Structures are given as C-alpha cells and as structure tokens.
Amino acid sequence: MQFSEAQRIKNLPPYLFARIEQLIAQKKAAGVDVISLGIGDPDLPTPEHIIEELSREARNPANHQYPSSVGMLEYRQAVAGWYKRRFGVELDPRTEVVTLIGSKEGIAHLPWCYLDPGDPVLVPDPGYPVYAGSSILAGAVPYYMKLRPEKGFLPDFADIPAEVAKKAKVMFLNYPNNPTGAVAEEAFFSEAIAFAKEFAILVCHDAAYTEVAFDGYRPISFLQVPGAREVGIEFGSLSKTFNMTGWRIGWAVGNTFAVEALGRLKSNIDSGQFNAIQKAAIAGLEGPLDSLKEVNEIYRQRRDMLVDGLNSLGWRLEKPKATFYVWAPVPAGYTSASFAEALLEKAGVVITPGTGYGAAGEGYFRMSLTVPTGRLKEAIARIKSNIGPVRF
Ligand SMILES: *Cc1c(COP(=O)(O)O)cnc(C)c1O
C-alpha cells in the first residue's frame, strides 16, 4: 500500500547525491568505467590512532549504554581545547558546546529550534542543500542570498530586502564554502555580525572545511570575530578534517541559548553519539596532526592537476585556497544539466551540476578532489578527447 505523504516531505526535493549515486550505479551496471568527481567524500582513511582508540573503547562495557544527548563532557572539553589551540577562542564546554551526530544532524535540526511555519530563513545560493531542505521541513521559507563571482561568492547583505531581514530569524553561512571553494575573512564576518545584530538574526556558520586549505592559507573561525557568539553558532565536524565522514561526529559551538535549544531539541529526538566514537574523536582532536598536512598535500596535488588540466582545455580557473572542490563555469552552449549529462554520456565522468546547489548555481559545475591523481588525469584526457576544447 502506498500511503499519502505529509505535505512537508512532498515539498522536499530529492537529495541531490541520492540521485547521482543512482545514475552512477546505472552506468556501472552498463559496464562503463565511471570516474566520479561528484560526491565530496574523502577517499583517504581515518588516521590509525583514532581507529585504535575506537577499538579500545568499543570493548569497554561502560560505553555500551545510552550516551548523553548533548554529548560527553570530556568530548565537549576536547572541542573547547581544539578551539583554544586552533583559533584562540575560549569556549565553556558545559554551555557553549553540544555534540552532534555529524554536523549535518545539527544543521538539519537547528531550524526546528528557531523557525516557525512561514518564517523567512536566509540561505546561500548556491549552497549545501541541507540548509534549505531542513528549513523547508520546519515550514520555513528560504530567502536565497545569491553568491556572485564578482563578490568572491560572499552574499551581499544590501541585496536583502528590509522586510525580509526584519522577519528572518536564521541565516546560514559556510566558509570555506561548498560548492564554490570561496573563503571569507574577518571583515566579511564582521559585516554579517552587524547585520545579524541589527535584525536579530541567528547566524549559523558551517565550518566543515576550516582544515582543508592550501599554500599556507589558514581559514578563520566565525567565532574569532568580535561579537560572533552574541549572534551566532558554528557547526564543526571531524568528517573532512580527519577523513571520518562515516563516523558521524561533530559539534555546534557558540551562542549559549542556541546551544542549549539545540541540545534540548536533540534530547527529544536522539540519544546522542556512541561514547566510543566520542572517545575516538577526542583522540583525533588532541592527537598528532601530521595527517592533516599529508592529506592537504595530496589534495593540493590533485587540485593543481585538475585546474591546470582544465585550463589547458580552455578554462581560466583560479586555484581554490581551501576545500576539496573545484567550482567551474560550464562552456558556452551548455547548461549545468546538459554539461553534466554530456560528461557522463561521452566521457563517463560524473560531476555535480551547479543547479544541484540552487538556482544561482546555473552555469557552473562542481568537481571533487576525492579521487587519486591518476583518475583525475584520465578524466582530463577523456574530456579532451570527447568534449574537446571549450569556449566561454
Ligand atoms: C560535508 C559537509 C558537512 C558535514 O558533514 P558531517 O559529516 O555531517 O559532519 C557540513 N557542511 C558542508 C558544507 C559539508 O560539505
């Protein structure tokens, strides 16, 4: 029997990557050697000392019972320690840190804490699809802040109509940015804080990529900026930093009221993350960080190969300073969708069309650096022989 779905899920677009995975499976079943640059999921393993700690802690019966929904104090202390060492930011682990089952979980639940049906929510376009999706589930109405190349893919707050700003209660931001690879500096965050104060908006900064950066560049935390914790929280995660996307462990830090509200909501929904995983995450946050340098060097080599390769075919891309994404315009004569289709059909290369991240992603596509250089070289060779030189 097929049951009639609730309106809130009927309004929800299918999750972008679920569809891409389906397409890849179809091509593979047809015998195509697919090169997938579509999904941003690190291909390198979690560092050994973190895995060791999990295996040890998994054997401890004390960890087999329900965890706390807001997380172990010890883990929250480790997150506070990380913020102190990495960003020079002091956090109270009891009131300013909540454990998340991956940052996506917190991002998806946050709108339930602050958005009533019909409330506008400020969402970057293009942007990580969870901001709009979770807001729509809560009944809120996304107002899309366009990220334009001439503004460095930062939203222009002057574009937001006063009547929207007055009613909006939440704004999502994400730097280093998925999908554009753009970065933000203190001046931009200061502007965001001033805007948020003026209109009483909670800034939710998604900082999943602060540790994936190149050429000596060190992304900042939103919370480093004066006034940030009065108006904002920051979502963080071990997923991209330590190649732990499968482990599901992250945090939200900052504004005490928002941290408490998210914890209260979570206590009604989940029972927290497995303590052994939190213990292993502590080993990551407090342990040796050599793997970060090594992994970033691998991404840098891939980035250079991919960007130089595309530029040799007619693109004029700059190398992103952070994230493992390359965001590129589609050649003349294509839309995002038709270019993605042409690449898959003619070259067996999967990319994500920019429109998967919002209407403003039209004219762009995203490639992920989570495959070995040999495969990137092969992808460039296939684009060269099957798509040919391009114009813009
Ligand atoms: C990968 C990613 C996340 C989060 O990941 P979790 O695994 O849920 O911690 C959050 N935001 C963006 C923009 C991402 O790309």
Side-chain angles (χ1 to χ4, degrees):
M1 200 189 315
Q2 184 170 13
F3 300 96
S4 84
E5 290 179 353
Q7 207 55 48
R8 74 177 72 83
I9 193 169
K10 278 191 195 157
N11 289 341
L12 212 57
Y15 196 63
L16 172 65
F17 298 109
R19 226 168 29 206
I20 292 170
E21 269 166 8
Q22 226 172 23
L23 267 178
I24 297 173
Q26 277 170 18
K27 283 284 158 193
K28 282 188 178 160
V32 178
D33 170 30
V34 174
I35 301 176
S36 177
L37 311 180
I39 295 173
D41 189 352
D43 57 319
L44 300 160
T46 303
E48 196 56 34
H49 65 282
I50 300 176
I51 299 172
E52 282 299 323
E53 183 70 359
L54 174 69
S55 4
R56 236 188 332 270
E57 292 296 336
R59 291 196 186 89
N60 180 357
N63 292 332
H64 297 172
Q65 293 182 291
Y66 280 122
S68 146
S69 52
V70 296
M72 303 173 84
L73 181 58
E74 213 181 320
Y75 170 79
R76 289 179 285 145
Q77 283 165 336
V79 172
W82 171 266
Y83 264 75
K84 177 84 182 109
R85 290 188 301 279
R86 170 65 177 87
F87 301 116
V89 170
E90 301 265 6
L91 292 170
D92 179 343
R94 287 188 167 77
T95 59
E96 294 179 308
V97 184
V98 58
T99 306
L100 298 175
I101 308 172
S103 60
K104 183 179 180 182
E105 179 261 307
I107 292 165
H109 281 145
L110 186 280
W112 292 90
C113 299
Y114 288 101
L115 298 174
D116 283 316
D119 285 345
V121 49
L122 306 175
V123 173
D125 178 9
Y128 184 54
V130 185
Y131 314 137
S134 62
S135 298
I136 291 167
L137 276 173
V141 183
Y143 175 87
Y144 292 101
M145 304 184 290
K146 301 245 179 307
L147 308 186
R148 297 195 180 87
E150 62 274 18
K151 286 263 172 198
F153 295 107
L154 300 167
D156 189 341
F157 302 120
D159 284 353
I160 302 167
E163 65 274 18
V164 174
K166 278 183 201 152
K167 279 197 254 160
K169 292 193 202 142
V170 169
M171 167 164 62
F172 284 100
L173 292 174
N174 164 224
Y175 294 97
N177 184 258
N178 175 10
T180 65
V183 296
E185 303 308 335
E186 177 159 353
F188 169 75
F189 285 141
S190 291
E191 259 182 60
I193 292 164
F195 180 80
K197 276 195 179 145
E198 180 180 352
F199 294 103
I201 294 168
L202 174 70
V203 177
C204 297
H205 182 243
D206 179 354
Y209 294 95
T210 55
E211 306 315 305
V212 184
F214 317 110
D215 312 320
Y217 179 71
R218 296 282 276 164
I220 63 167
S221 160
F222 177 67
L223 293 184
Q224 272 171 259
V225 181
R229 88 180 78 190
E230 280 147 59
V231 294
I233 55 171
E234 183 157 81
F235 292 98
S237 170
L238 280 85
S239 286
K240 314 294 162 57
T241 303
F242 297 103
N243 304 326
M244 289 173 67
T245 50
W247 296 56
R248 315 310 306 133
I249 181 82
W251 61 74
V253 295
N255 185 276
T256 51
F257 299 103
V259 163
E260 188 278 327
L262 192 52
R264 186 157 26 108
L265 179 84
K266 282 170 58 59
S267 69
N268 283 282
I269 295 176
D270 62 63
S271 300
Q273 179 53 287
F274 186 23
N275 282 347
I277 287 182
Q278 294 185 66
K279 289 272 198 176
I282 295 170
L285 294 171
E286 294 182 346
L289 300 177
D290 319 300
S291 72
L292 274 65
K293 276 209 183 88
E294 290 160 20
V295 169
N296 280 339
E297 176 54 19
I298 291 170
Y299 289 141
R300 186 197 62 77
Q301 288 171 10
R302 294 173 179 177
R303 176 199 69 171
D304 290 354
M305 164 155 302
L306 187 63
V307 170
D308 293 341
L310 288 172
N311 285 350
S312 76
L313 299 177
W315 270 270
R316 272 188 236 105
L317 302 174
E318 282 178 36
K319 292 174 178 168
K321 286 186 187 159
T323 78
F324 43 61
Y325 301 114
V326 172
W327 180 248
V330 300
Y334 293 99
T335 62
S336 290
S338 72
F339 189 63
E341 203 176 302
L343 276 189
L344 182 60
E345 292 302 328
K346 295 183 183 167
V349 172
V350 176
I351 50 93
T352 42
T355 43
Y357 305 93
E362 181 54 81
Y364 287 89
F365 66 103
R366 191 196 77 174
M367 285 172 295
S368 175
L369 302 171
T370 50
V371 300
T373 44
R375 295 296 273 170
L376 291 174
K377 211 175 197 167
E378 168 73 14
I380 294 290
R382 288 195 204 167
I383 295 170
K384 186 174 182 180
S385 49
N386 298 300
I387 305 278
V390 294
R391 288 176 306 103
F392 293 90

